[in-house]
Amino acid sequence: MTIMQDKITSLLEINRSLTQSLDLEEILKRLVQAAFDLVDHADTTILYTLKEDGLLHFSSGVGVETGSMSQVKFESGESLTGQVFLTKKGVIASGPEFREHMSRMSETNYVHFFNGVYRREVKSGIVVPLVYKENCIGVLVVDNFDKDVQFTEADFQVLEVVADQAAIAIMNSKLYEEVRRKNEELSQSLDIHRKFTKILLEGRGTSYILDTISHILGSTVIFAESPINPSSSFPIINSNELFGYFLLDGPVERLTNIQKAALEHASTALSLEFVRQNTLFEKEMHLREEAFHDLINGGRLNARILEKFRMNEKSSIACMMVDCKSGFLWDAASILQKEKLIRSIEQIIMKYCETSIVFTKSNQIIALLVNGRKRYDQSLANDIQRKVSRAVIGLGREVALTDMTDTYQEAAEALSFAKNHQHKTYITYSELGAERLWLNTDRSLLNKFVSDKIGSLLKMEPEYLKTMQAFLANNQSHKQTAEEMHIHPNTLAYRLKKIESELQLDFSRKEDWITVVLAFQVFDFLNP
């Protein structure tokens, strides 16, 4: 009775000892020493705990060679230790039972374990699980190497009490460590947040943000609009808009939680910096548009604008308008898409003329091309359309700076013509012929002209309209028209006579022929 009372007293003392410390390593040492002291005839005490890899690792022990034992890693169900872990039920086992279970050890674990117990053979032992809230978190083992000794049920119960106390102490330590780690991460995260907030308030810019996050991660971080390797690219997102990516030296998943948090802070800071820059860009666009309106409404560009764009009263200028046949050039909900588009078009234009003023008006892009008429036209349009595949472009004539209103209106008319014709994506006002007259003419008047001049032809069988269009395209050549339509010359002559009769015209008369040509030009204009 006195021995049991002493053990109860010791158990209470162990409980106080285990709960007084939150240091996991210290708890494990106290645990195995307590088990060794309380269980009579214990030659070794070994503790295995579950690690993140799902294996039971040697954590602490008394009476063992720790160098070898630290190499032991049991799978669930492997050896008697793994079996107890799996079933969560402790056992008192004899030597034969130990040997039977050890036969199922992996060769590597057997060698390390045998060396760890100084190459002794286990004669008997107790194995109990450490269970916390129905989860097994480890296994406590007491071994004896003397064949004349057997452990008792009382020894088993004492070891179970130690294991239960230990499980609680270990989990408390882990919970404390987790709280401490999270508090430390929160503190570091707040410090990082303050750093990036200060950068924004001081207006240090994009490069300083990249330098700061590179310093925090300990490796170079660069910005790119698209990822090179998705695993090492961190998206920069704000308000559901993707601004670009941080490109890292290694995979994002290898970063610590605090490093990932730093990337989040840097992402927010960089996206806000982009928004700030975009606000300045929009202000610049507004000032350019105001200056343009002042000029076309009879005002004069102020000296600051003239100096900024290297212009003077003798500068020549051509207006270019960019739009698309349907829809919009940019997504109005996007913060940066419009700015990126304008910047890219500015870079393209810089290759073709001395200077330019690019701005937006409604949903169109307007570019005033200064002193560069001989260096652009079709190649400039091609470059823009390679960048913006849906772009439709109208270009006015190059005029004196004081006549900017003319080139602006011409660009608008050329753009309108291109947008209304399916196969036209680039039109210069200079290449427009009689179409210039019709662009500003009421469409009802044009429709009446077509109806009066060739309306009866349009009501005839389709082959007559096709014949007339081919005759016009081949400049009144009977031979070429007949060959193109794969018909006999007599058939062509018959159809043309019938058309002349229907229209009450004589194609050999200059005035009648001009009337037909104009009517078909207007018809094509109205029906692109």
Side-chain angles (χ1 to χ4, degrees):
M1 186 67 179
T2 304
I3 295 174
M4 181 55 66
Q5 287 178 338
D6 290 343
K7 288 190 176 183
I8 292 173
T9 302
S10 296
L11 286 172
L12 293 174
E13 181 61 33
I14 291 168
N15 183 56
R16 284 194 295 271
S17 174
L18 291 176
T19 55
Q20 284 175 355
S21 175
L22 289 171
D23 180 81
L24 183 58
E25 185 176 350
E26 180 63 25
I27 288 174
L28 298 180
K29 286 181 178 179
R30 291 182 184 181
L31 166 64
V32 294
Q33 187 63 52
F36 185 82
D37 293 340
L38 287 171
V39 178
D40 294 334
H41 310 299
D43 290 329
T44 62
T45 305
I46 305 171
L47 175 67
Y48 301 94
T49 55
L50 183 65
K51 300 298 183 181
E52 293 180 355
D53 59 5
L55 302 178
L56 289 167
H57 290 240
F58 170 80
S59 293
S60 187
V62 175
V64 296
E65 199 282 303
T66 57
S68 296
M69 290 300 298
S70 63
Q71 305 298 313
V72 177
K73 300 172 185 177
F74 289 130
E75 292 186 1
S76 176
E78 181 184 356
S79 81
L80 189 56
T81 300
Q83 187 66 28
V84 168
F85 172 81
L86 187 64
T87 62
K88 303 176 190 174
K89 293 181 179 180
V91 297
I92 300 175
S94 64
E97 290 177 289
F98 266 97
R99 287 191 291 276
E100 179 185 351
H101 284 284
M102 287 176 68
S103 68
R104 296 197 298 273
M105 270 190 198
S106 70
E107 184 177 349
T108 301
N109 279 337
Y110 180 84
V111 170
H112 290 310
F113 175 81
F114 194 52
N115 290 331
V117 296
Y118 300 105
R119 308 183 69 81
R120 295 176 293 176
E121 191 174 289
V122 179
K123 301 299 184 180
S124 60
I126 305 175
V127 185
V128 294
L130 275 64
V131 180
Y132 182 82
K133 293 184 178 180
E134 299 184 357
N135 293 318
C136 190
I137 62 172
V139 176
L140 182 60
V141 182
V142 171
D143 291 325
N144 176 269
F145 302 95
D146 186 340
K147 63 182 178 180
D148 296 327
V149 173
Q150 290 295 324
F151 292 111
T152 66
E153 186 67 26
D155 293 328
F156 179 81
Q157 291 174 356
V158 166
L159 202 61
E160 278 192 319
V161 173
V162 173
D164 289 341
Q165 293 174 339
I168 295 172
I170 289 172
M171 291 309 299
N172 285 342
S173 174
K174 288 184 176 181
L175 290 172
Y176 168 77
E177 182 61 27
E178 180 68 13
V179 171
R180 187 197 64 76
R181 183 184 62 79
K182 287 185 177 180
N183 285 337
E184 183 178 334
E185 287 182 354
L186 179 60
S187 177
Q188 291 178 319
S189 180
L190 289 172
D191 182 57
I192 292 169
H193 173 72
R194 284 191 287 268
K195 284 183 179 180
F196 285 111
T197 299
K198 184 179 180 182
I199 291 171
L200 287 173
L201 292 175
E202 294 176 352
R204 298 274 188 112
T206 302
S207 60
Y208 199 82
I209 293 173
L210 291 172
D211 288 344
T212 301
I213 187 61
S214 296
H215 177 73
I216 293 172
L217 299 187
S219 60
T220 302
V221 179
I222 62 175
F223 169 78
E225 292 188 0
S226 57
I228 296 176
N229 182 353
S231 66
S232 58
S233 302
F234 189 88
I236 301 168
I237 301 174
N238 192 335
S239 300
N240 296 322
E241 180 171 359
L242 179 62
F243 290 169
Y245 296 84
F246 286 128
L247 303 186
L248 314 179
D249 284 347
V252 175
E253 63 181 17
R254 294 182 184 174
L255 299 178
T256 65
N257 288 336
I258 195 63
Q259 288 175 322
K260 291 177 182 177
L263 275 174
E264 291 284 358
H265 288 305
S267 172
T268 300
L270 192 58
S271 63
L272 291 174
E273 174 61 20
F274 286 150
V275 171
R276 185 187 70 83
Q277 293 176 4
N278 182 256
T279 301
L280 296 176
F281 165 80
E282 290 290 352
K283 183 178 180 180
E284 174 67 18
M285 290 295 101
H286 181 68
L287 291 174
R288 292 183 189 183
E289 186 179 358
E290 279 189 343
F292 170 75
H293 278 292
D294 287 345
L295 192 64
I296 64 173
N297 290 323
R300 294 169 62 87
L301 284 173
N302 61 46
R304 186 185 68 83
I305 294 293
L306 287 171
E307 181 180 355
K308 179 175 181 179
F309 293 100
R310 301 192 299 277
M311 294 191 298
N312 55 56
E313 298 293 341
K314 295 182 180 180
S315 296
S316 59
I317 196 163
C319 180
M320 181 178 72
M321 286 189 181
V322 183
D323 202 344
C324 50
K325 288 188 183 290
S326 61
F328 304 96
L329 285 169
W330 60 82
D331 180 3
S334 170
I335 297 174
L336 296 185
Q337 193 181 99
K338 174 182 174 182
E339 180 181 355
K340 289 180 180 178
L341 181 60
I342 300 298
R343 298 293 190 200
S344 63
I345 288 180
E346 282 182 324
Q347 290 179 354
I348 291 170
I349 292 174
M350 284 176 61
K351 299 187 298 183
Y352 292 91
C353 60
E354 180 181 322
T355 187
S356 64
I357 306 175
V358 180
F359 57 94
T360 59
K361 181 176 173 62
S362 297
N363 295 312
Q364 297 176 335
I365 297 173
I366 297 176
L368 304 179
L369 312 174
V370 183
N371 300 335
R373 176 61 176 170
K374 295 179 181 180
R375 297 180 58 193
Y376 46 86
D377 282 1
Q378 187 63 56
S379 54
L380 169 58
N382 291 342
D383 282 353
I384 292 175
Q385 287 167 339
R386 275 191 286 269
K387 185 69 178 179
V388 189
S389 59
R390 300 183 302 118
V392 179
I393 303 169
L395 180 66
R397 295 175 302 116
E398 189 169 85
V399 298
L401 186 62
T402 53
D403 296 325
M404 188 187 296
T405 303
D406 294 340
T407 188
Y408 171 68
Q409 292 174 344
E410 291 167 0
E413 291 178 6
L415 179 66
S416 176
F417 185 83
K419 289 181 66 174
N420 290 320
H421 286 72
Q422 183 179 355
H423 302 295
K424 300 289 186 181
T425 58
Y426 171 60
I427 293 292
T428 66
Y429 188 78
S430 299
E431 72 183 87
L432 294 177
E435 295 94 344
R436 300 184 191 184
L437 305 175
W438 307 326
L439 283 167
N440 296 309
T441 302
D442 186 270
R443 294 182 74 86
S444 63
L445 293 177
L446 297 176
N447 279 311
K448 287 179 181 179
F449 178 75
V450 171
S451 179
D452 290 345
K453 301 305 179 184
I454 60 172
S456 56
L457 170 59
L458 300 177
K459 296 175 183 178
M460 295 173 71
E461 288 82 356
E463 62 263 24
Y464 287 96
L465 176 60
K466 292 179 181 178
T467 300
M468 192 64 209
Q469 288 173 325
F471 191 54
L472 286 163
N474 287 293
N475 197 24
Q476 293 182 283
S477 171
H478 287 70
K479 181 181 179 181
Q480 291 179 4
T481 302
E483 289 176 352
E484 181 181 305
M485 298 193 70
H486 307 292
I487 60 177
H488 195 277
N490 290 340
T491 302
L492 175 61
Y494 169 77
R495 289 182 183 179
L496 291 175
K497 280 296 181 183
K498 190 170 182 179
I499 293 171
E500 285 179 313
S501 174
E502 190 67 33
L503 298 180
Q504 298 181 1
L505 296 173
D506 180 358
F507 294 161
S508 64
R509 293 183 68 249
K510 180 179 179 181
E511 293 79 3
D512 288 354
W513 180 249
I514 291 175
T515 298
V516 172
V517 171
L518 287 174
F520 268 94
Q521 286 182 340
V522 175
F523 175 76
D524 290 340
F525 176 77
L526 294 173
N527 301 277

